[in-house]
Each structure stands twice: as structure tokens, then as C-alpha cells.
């Protein structure tokens, strides 16, 4: 008797239900999408006839633009909803907003919202495939996928690699999604930050360890990711001072002297130069920050393809 193949997930809300095999296929397919993006005509007909809505209730540069380009590169029609200039300002609810958009025959949603769980609600209200583009501090799965893809591109595989993530872990959906994804693909994750910004419960995740010591975090790491202080999600006094924080936790050449010779530097952006990452490190040979941005488009094309084309 052959083992039952788990059904293809209908949404990408987080990595629950996503097997390592499916995730690897998704990253493999991003290689093909990157080849499309190298052609003089960067367009394929895969999503012709479909309408994709980017529903952003929170600001974004990278995620929104790369998703819109990804959908257009695959010949979808794209409608951009930005809460700031919508009837949300007149009190319209999330449910009513999504029901209005769905009445216009939207086929899939890409959702960013400040509230954890908002993308799940959009899936329920719309009945359409939903990709979570960041919900509060909970999850940002396509960011983790493009981070994983960038590390894999560098080293050929994630198996046996170590990724150190340094900064405001408490308020970071990027840290959570990477801590969920990378061990599924064979990598170890070290989460590092001041004790006030390092929730102890994350140590229960398989393949994840915590430390407040940045030198310990980077020792043996193949990739070092700096995270922004998420001041928009902070309500308490988590830090003595920004200078004190930078003196200890800034990803800079002094800290990277402790890392592997070939270690690369990542940052999901937006960066606060000379706070969580030094400007010279952000621009250094080791930096893959712009490579992450570039890979975001191919990875998001692959996610759209996986969810919207050729469903079993
Ligand atoms: N990394 C990221 O999500 O960036 P944006 O907020 O610009 O989309």
C-alpha cells in the first residue's frame, strides 16, 4: 500500500500543511521563474483570465510590488486595494471590504494586515485562495520562502546549514516564519536578541535555539539575518536605549569576524542603517539584501503558480 499524499494546500497562510517535498518543489519552480525573468519578454500566460487582488491594510514596498509584478508577469489581471485610500477610512469592515472585492470576481487574494489571523478571515469571507503577505507579528511566509531560496541559491542546499537571526524577534513575523520553514528544509535556526525581545516559547520549535549572545549566534552560521526593531508593534520599554542596542546587537563587520568566512548577510527590509545593521555591512560583498529583493519576484511567481494553476 502506498502512503497517502497530503492534499495540496489551498492557501499559503503559514506553513501548516506544507510538506518539505511541496516546499522544495516550490523553491525548485522559483528557479524556472527566475529563468523567465532573464528573458527579453518576461511574461508567460499561466494566469491568463484570472484576477488577483493585493489587499494591503498595512504599508509595504517590496511585498506588494513584487506580488503585483509576479502576477502580471504571469498574465493575471491585478487589482490593488490599499486601505489608506479606501472606504475603510469611513468605517467599512474587513468582511464587507472583502465581500465587495469578491463581487468583482477576484480569483485570489494577497493580504497584508496589522492583525494576526486577518488572512485566515479573508480566506473564510472570500472562499478564494489567499496568500498571507504578513499578518501582525504572526507570519510572513513568502518572505521566509525567499530567504530560504536565497540561502539555497548560495550554498546549493539548506541541509545542515545554520541561519542566525538577530534583532527584535518578539515582534517579527519574519523570524517566526523562518523558524517554522527553515528546519522543515533541513537547516538550523538560531534566534538572538535582548531577553526582552526573545520569547522563550520559540525554543520549543524543532531545529530552533535561542541565545542573547550575538557572538555565540553567529559562530558557525552560514547566513546572518538582521531584523529591524518593529517600533510600530512595540508598546512597552523593551530597550535601555537604541545606542545600547546597536552596541551589542548590530550586525556589523566586528560581529561578522566571528562568523564563517563565507557567511552571507540577509535583511528582509526595510533597513535602518547603522541601527540593526551597519551601512558598510549592508553594502558589503557578503550582503545579499538586494538578491533577496530580486528573488522575491520569482518566489512569489512560483507561489501563485502552485496555488492557482493545475490544481489536483
Ligand atoms: N520585507 C517586507 O515585507 O518588506 P515590505 O514591508 O516593504 O513589503
Amino acid at each position: 500500500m502506498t502512503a497517502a499524499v497530503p492534499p495540496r494546500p489551498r492557501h499559503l497562510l503559514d506553513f501548516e500543511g506544507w510538506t518539505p517535498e511541496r516546499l522544495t518543489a516550490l523553491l525548485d519552480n522559483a528557479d524556472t521563474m527566475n529563468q523567465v525573468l532573464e528573458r527579453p519578454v518576461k511574461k508567460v500566460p499561466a494566469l491568463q483570465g484570472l484576477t488577483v487582488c493585493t489587499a494591503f491594510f498595512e504599508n509595504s514596498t517590496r511585498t506588494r510590488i513584487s506580488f503585483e509584478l509576479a502576477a502580471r508577469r504571469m498574465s493575471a489581471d491585478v487589482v490593488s486595494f490599499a486601505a489608506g485610500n479606501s472606504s475603510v477610512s469611513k468605517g467599512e469592515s474587513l468582511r464587507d471590504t472583502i465581500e465587495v472585492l469578491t463581487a468583482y470576481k477576484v480569483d485570489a487574494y494577497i493580504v497584508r494586515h496589522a492583525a494576526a489571523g486577518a488572512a485566515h478571515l479573508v480566506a473564510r469571507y472570500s472562499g478564494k485562495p489567499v496568500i498571507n503577505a504578513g499578518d501582525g507579528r504572526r507570519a510572513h511566509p513568502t518572505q521566509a520562502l525567499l530567504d530560504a531560496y536565497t540561502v539555497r541559491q548560495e550554498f546549493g542546499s539548506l541541509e545542515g546549514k545554520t541561519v542566525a537571526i538577530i534583532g527584535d524577534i518578539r515582534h517579527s513575523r519574519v523570524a517566526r516564519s523562518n523558524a517554522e520553514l527553515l528546519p522543515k528544509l533541513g537547516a538550523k535556526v538560531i534566534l538572538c536578541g535582548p531577553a526582552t525581545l526573545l520569547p522563550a516559547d520559540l525554543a520549543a520549535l524543532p531545529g530552533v535555539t535561542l541565545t542573547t549572545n550575538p557572538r555565540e549566534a553567529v559562530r558557525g552560521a552560514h547566513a546572518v539575518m538582521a531584523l529591524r526593531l518593529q517600533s510600530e508593534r512595540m508598546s512597552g520599554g523593551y530597550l535601555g536605549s537604541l545606542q545600547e542596542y546597536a552596541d551589542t546587537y548590530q550586525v556589523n563587520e566586528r560581529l561578522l569576524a566571528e562568523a564563517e568566512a563565507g557567511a552571507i548577510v540577509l535583511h528582509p527590509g526595510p533597513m535602518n542603517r547603522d541601527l540593526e545593521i551597519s551601512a558598510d555591512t549592508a553594502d558589503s560583498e557578503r550582503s545579499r539584501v538586494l538578491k533577496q529583493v530580486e528573488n522575491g519576484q520569482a518566489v512569489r511567481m512560483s507561489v501563485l503558480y502552485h496555488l492557482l494553476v493545475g490544481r489536483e
Side-chain angles (χ1 to χ4, degrees), residues 56 58-66 112 133-134 140 143 146 173-174 228 267-270 300:
F56 276 59
E58 200 187 55
N59 293 343
S60 166
T61 298
R62 280 147 284 265
T63 312
R64 187 178 59 75
I65 290 173
S66 61
R112 171 167 289 189
H140 192 352
Q143 178 67 46
L146 75 87
R173 54 197 177 206
V174 176
R228 188 171 63 86
H267 193 307
R300 288 172 173 133

Side-chain angles (χ1 to χ4, degrees), residues 105-282:
K105 311 289 184 216
V106 165
D107 295 296
Y109 288 91
I110 296 149
V111 180
R112 171 167 289 189
H113 202 289
H120 289 74
L121 289 177
V122 173
R124 194 194 307 159
Y125 298 149
S126 68
K128 302 292 179 185
V130 172
I131 300 169
N132 183 2
D135 62 332
R137 62 172 86 170
R138 207 187 68 84
H140 192 352
T142 60
Q143 178 67 46
L145 282 165
L146 75 87
D147 296 336
Y149 182 81
T150 304
V151 176
R152 189 179 91 149
Q153 191 176 54
E154 193 72 29
F155 298 104
S157 165
L158 285 154
E159 198 64 51
K161 301 297 177 297
T162 300
V163 179
I165 304 178
I166 302 177
D168 177 6
I169 307 295
R170 177 175 294 281
H171 300 98
S172 174
R173 54 197 177 206
V174 176
R176 273 181 188 70
S177 283
N178 269 297
E180 200 186 347
L181 173 67
L182 293 171
K184 282 191 184 227
L185 299 172
K188 284 197 298 186
V189 174
I190 301 174
L191 300 176
C192 174
T196 48
L197 296 177
L198 192 63
D201 61 313
L202 293 177
L205 294 171
V208 175
T209 54
L210 310 188
T211 177
T212 56
N213 182 338
R215 286 190 164 67
E216 192 180 299
V218 302
R219 233 168 262 145
H222 299 87
V224 177
M225 182 188 296
L227 291 180
R228 188 171 63 86
L229 290 169
Q230 318 269 308
S231 49
E232 72 275 24
R233 295 190 201 112
M234 280 190 201
S235 51
Y238 291 97
L239 299 169
S241 74
L242 292 181
Q243 189 57 54
E244 215 171 81
Y245 173 82
D247 287 347
T248 309
Y249 290 100
Q250 184 181 88
V251 174
N252 55 28
E253 296 309 305
R254 186 162 43 91
L255 180 63
L256 290 167
E258 312 264 345
E260 292 283 298
I264 59 170
V265 171
L266 305 170
H267 193 307
M271 291 189 284
N272 290 132
R273 286 171 179 258
D274 292 328
L275 181 49
E276 73 271 6
I277 187 168
S278 68
D280 55 342
T281 294

Side-chain angles (χ1 to χ4, degrees), residues 90-101:
K90 301 174 196 162
E92 192 159 39
S93 69
L94 176 64
R95 180 180 183 153
D96 286 338
T97 302
I98 295 302
E99 284 179 356
V100 167
L101 292 165

